[in-house]
């Protein structure tokens, strides 16, 4: 297992290198000039060029990339062009809010999706199964930003039950206040994930119930619920691990959109601000960090395969 993990980590290095090249090139090809954020109406052209030189923007693109790469390998992601603070400091301040939002949505999605999917799969084509299938299709089709705005309209402006934006109420510093602010964004992220998870788990449940070992358990006198939770559930865990690895990019992207809608102070809102302000160092820092998170997530999913299914561990 250790050699497998080391091999996967080594395979991720050229992938991250390729992602950094593509991201840096796309940023440089995008319209706009970050120097304009420093320019004042009365500034001389010589001063503008001096600023450009101090930021290293007068060098060719490939030289700028290698300078950035050298600094990153030394642990320096640069300074924000908008906030004038270290990029790592800005990300470190925002990442707990994003991880908390994503983690809560992921846990809630699994808690809701697994039992509902097992129940729907064990009662194929029943009224409950059709209702839950309709629910999953609606969840997959609804855009996250539209659903978030809809929840804000009803639960914040109409009923005044929950706050509409932010992470804290001014003057209040309590865990319950943070939880109230996180309810709506977590619901938005969870609704989309639950819909996707239900489709996979339901399909896997139906396939498992048609296997021979289920009929053998019936012959031994086991009840349907016992078979469903003791035997089918264990075999359904493998596709659950698979979809977790597949859905991690969507979860991160959804968190960015949701944070923008609810003004949640995480990496998503920081990234949107960086894009609108042409803050290239922050954009690259967030891009590389999310790429590392995706690589780690897929690695964890591969490791969990061997935990869930011993046959994979034996084959490896």
């Amino acid at each position: 297992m250790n050699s497998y993990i080391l091999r996967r980590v080594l395979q991720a290095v050229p992938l991250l290198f390729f992602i950094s090249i593509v991201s840096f090139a796309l940023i440089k090809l995008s319209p706009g000039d970050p120097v304009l954020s420093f320019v004042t109406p009365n500034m001389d052209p010589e001063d503008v060029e001096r600023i450009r030189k101090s930021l290293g923007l007068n060098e060719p693109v490939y030289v700028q990339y290698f300078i950035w790469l050298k600094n990153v390998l030394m642990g320096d992601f640069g300074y924000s062009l908008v906030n004038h603070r270290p990029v790592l400091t800005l990300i470190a301040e925002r990442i707990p809010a994003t991880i908390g939002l994503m983690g809560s949505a992921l846990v809630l999605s699994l808690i809701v999706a697994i039992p509902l999917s097992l129940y729907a799969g064990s009662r194929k084509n029943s009224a409950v199964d059709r209702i839950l299938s309709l629910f999953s299709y609606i969840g997959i089709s609804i855009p996250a930003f539209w659903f978030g705005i809809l929840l804000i309209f009803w639960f914040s402006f109409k009923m005044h039950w929950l706050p509409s934006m932010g992470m804290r109420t001014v003057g209040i510093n309590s865990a319950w206040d943070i939880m109230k602010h996180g309810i709506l964004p977590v619901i938005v992220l969870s609704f989309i994930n639950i819909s996707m998870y239900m489709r996979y788990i339901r399909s896997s449940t139906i396939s498992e119930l048609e296997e021979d070992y289920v009929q053998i358990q019936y012959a031994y006198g086991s009840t349907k619920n016992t078979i469903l939770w003791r035997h089918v559930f264990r075999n359904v865990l493998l596709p659950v691990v698979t979809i977790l690895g597949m859905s991690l990019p969507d979860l991160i992207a959804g968190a960015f959109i949701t944070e923008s809608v609810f003004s949640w102070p995480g990496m998503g809102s920081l990234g949107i601000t960086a894009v609108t302000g042409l803050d290239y160092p922050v954009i690259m820092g967030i891009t590389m960090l999310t790429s590392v998170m995706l690589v780690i997530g897929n690695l964890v999913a591969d490791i969990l395969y061997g935990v869930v299914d011993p046959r994979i561990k034996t084959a490896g």
Side-chain angles (χ1 to χ4, degrees):
M1 180 63 71
N2 292 334
S3 60
Y4 171 76
I5 296 175
L6 179 61
R7 185 169 65 252
R8 287 298 306 271
V9 171
L10 293 177
Q11 290 174 354
V13 173
L15 175 61
L16 294 175
F17 179 70
F18 176 76
I19 291 174
S20 67
I21 294 176
V22 174
S23 301
F24 199 88
L26 290 176
I27 290 174
K28 292 302 178 180
L29 291 174
S30 62
D33 189 353
V35 178
L36 296 179
S37 60
F38 297 89
V39 175
T40 60
N42 299 323
M43 187 174 289
D44 295 331
E46 293 80 6
D47 296 330
V48 175
E49 289 302 318
R50 191 178 300 111
I51 294 174
R52 189 183 305 276
K53 184 177 180 180
S54 65
L55 296 175
L57 299 177
N58 60 328
E59 301 287 347
V61 175
Y62 68 91
V63 175
Q64 295 181 39
Y65 171 77
F66 283 113
I67 292 174
W68 173 85
L69 182 62
K70 183 188 71 173
N71 293 333
V72 167
L73 294 177
M74 298 175 62
D76 181 12
F77 280 79
Y79 280 77
S80 168
L81 302 180
V82 175
N83 299 302
H84 309 291
R85 299 176 61 196
V87 172
L88 288 181
T89 301
L90 292 173
I91 293 177
E93 293 175 351
R94 300 295 191 100
I95 195 170
T98 298
I99 292 179
L101 191 65
M102 292 172 53
S104 301
L106 184 61
V107 172
L108 180 61
S109 300
L110 293 176
I111 291 175
V112 175
I114 290 177
L116 288 180
S117 303
L118 288 172
Y119 185 84
S122 63
R123 290 160 177 80
K124 181 181 177 181
N125 295 328
S126 65
V128 175
D129 181 33
R130 293 177 181 177
I131 291 173
L132 292 177
S133 297
L134 177 62
F135 171 86
S136 63
Y137 282 117
I138 293 175
I140 294 172
S141 304
I142 292 179
F145 72 91
W146 181 86
F147 187 50
I149 294 173
L150 185 66
L151 292 182
I152 291 174
F153 176 77
W154 281 106
F155 292 99
S156 297
F157 293 115
K158 282 290 185 180
M159 294 185 249
H160 304 285
W161 286 358
L162 297 169
S164 60
M165 62 179 61
M167 186 176 173
R168 300 176 187 270
T169 303
V170 178
I172 300 177
N173 188 14
S174 65
W176 172 237
D177 182 63
I178 297 176
M179 291 174 62
K180 286 197 303 182
H181 281 80
I183 289 175
L184 292 183
V186 167
I187 289 176
V188 172
L189 286 176
S190 301
F191 183 66
I192 299 171
N193 292 327
I194 289 170
S195 304
M196 182 175 60
Y197 295 166
M198 284 180 58
R199 294 188 62 189
Y200 283 97
I201 299 174
R202 173 188 175 274
S203 176
S204 180
T205 302
I206 294 174
S207 300
E208 290 295 328
L209 288 174
E210 295 174 353
E211 295 291 335
D212 293 337
Y213 73 87
V214 174
Q215 304 302 322
I216 294 173
Q217 291 299 321
Y218 276 125
Y220 285 155
S222 299
T223 63
K224 189 172 186 178
N225 288 332
T226 302
I227 296 173
L228 193 64
W229 287 103
R230 286 190 179 180
H231 304 282
V232 174
F233 174 65
R234 293 179 60 185
N235 293 324
V236 168
L237 283 180
L238 187 59
V240 170
V241 174
T242 304
I243 61 177
L244 283 178
M246 293 171 55
S247 65
L248 190 57
D250 295 332
L251 187 63
I252 294 176
F256 275 42
I257 297 172
T258 305
E259 287 180 6
S260 301
V261 173
F262 291 95
S263 299
W264 188 262
M267 289 203 308
S269 56
L270 177 64
I272 297 298
T273 303
V275 171
T276 55
L278 300 176
D279 198 347
Y280 297 158
V282 175
I283 297 174
M284 286 300 299
I286 293 177
T287 301
M288 297 312 300
L289 180 61
T290 52
S291 301
V292 170
M293 291 173 60
L294 293 179
V295 170
I296 293 175
N298 289 325
L299 176 61
V300 172
D302 289 343
I303 294 173
L304 289 177
Y305 289 156
V307 177
V308 175
D309 192 346
R311 294 172 299 178
I312 297 178
K313 184 185 301 183
T314 302

